[in-house]
Amino acid sequence: MTLSFVLDPPLTDTLRTQIVELWAEVTNAGGAVGFVAPVTAGDVRPVAEAAFAGVEAGVDRLLVGVDGGRLVALLFVVDNRFELKAHWRVLKRVMVAPGSQGRGYGVALMREAAAVGRKMGLTGLQVTLRDGHGLDAFYRGLGYAEVGRMPGALRVAPGDDRDEVLMWLDLR
């Protein structure tokens, strides 16, 4: 594995395009990153631009994983924008390129996010997932605990409602 991480890389036009393309690719491969397949880059771009705005404002952070110069993983470390929650963050849009899965990149990405959180002085990280993908076991293996579940909160298709699961990693 030649995966390396960059925290808060410059959001060049090229990187923005790569992130949007990865986001669409992950969604279309069945990933639960805010959309239901099929999507195009045009569908993803407005949501991505809102995420980029938080990073550019210095409120949120962007962590990218690169292998051989290619973007293969990313997540956003998102501020709660509420003073009483300033001591923890939410990890959003956690994704690994479909062709790079099975190489340990997801584990490495999440471990790096925990290291970033500790360096930021945070006491915890939350990640929310869509039930039905087996991701709860992945996060449990990294030390996250399920702390909440909203039954049927996510409607991915008519008649297909999924639980939204909240997972927590205590960094103390």
Side-chain angles (χ1 to χ4, degrees):
M1 173 168 57
T2 58
L3 183 64
S4 61
F5 293 101
V6 180
L7 181 63
D8 300 325
L11 280 169
T12 63
D13 289 343
T14 299
L15 181 58
R16 287 170 185 260
T17 298
Q18 290 172 344
I19 290 171
V20 168
E21 289 173 356
L22 176 61
W23 203 328
E25 179 185 3
V26 167
T27 299
N28 289 329
V33 287
F35 296 92
V36 176
V39 297
T40 65
D43 297 325
V44 172
R45 188 167 306 283
V47 176
E49 289 299 334
F52 299 152
V55 172
E56 288 176 319
V59 178
D60 301 329
R61 314 290 300 269
L62 171 63
L63 178 63
V64 300
V66 179
D67 183 356
R70 183 174 162 259
L71 176 68
V72 294
L74 70 89
L75 59 76
F76 292 91
V77 182
V78 179
D79 186 273
N80 288 293
R81 292 161 172 78
F82 182 57
E83 188 60 34
L84 298 179
K85 296 180 179 182
H87 57 290
W88 62 276
R89 298 291 185 278
V90 179
L91 303 181
K92 289 193 172 186
R93 315 308 183 197
V94 178
M95 59 184 96
V96 173
S100 297
Q101 292 176 351
R103 297 180 186 172
Y105 290 179
V107 169
L109 177 66
M110 295 306 294
R111 287 189 177 143
E112 186 69 16
V116 166
R118 286 184 181 96
K119 287 178 191 166
M120 291 173 65
L122 301 176
T123 62
L125 296 172
Q126 180 210 321
V127 65
T128 303
L129 60 98
R130 181 188 308 164
D131 199 22
H133 289 270
L135 292 173
D136 51 336
F138 170 76
Y139 289 112
R140 269 199 235 7
L142 292 165
Y144 284 76
E146 182 176 325
V147 294
R149 179 177 289 260
M150 293 178 278
L154 303 170
R155 180 158 291 157
V156 297
D160 187 2
D161 294 349
R162 308 281 177 91
D163 292 358
E164 184 172 41
V165 181
L166 296 105
M167 310 258 333
W168 178 262
L169 179 66
D170 193 322
L171 295 176
R172 293 174 284 189

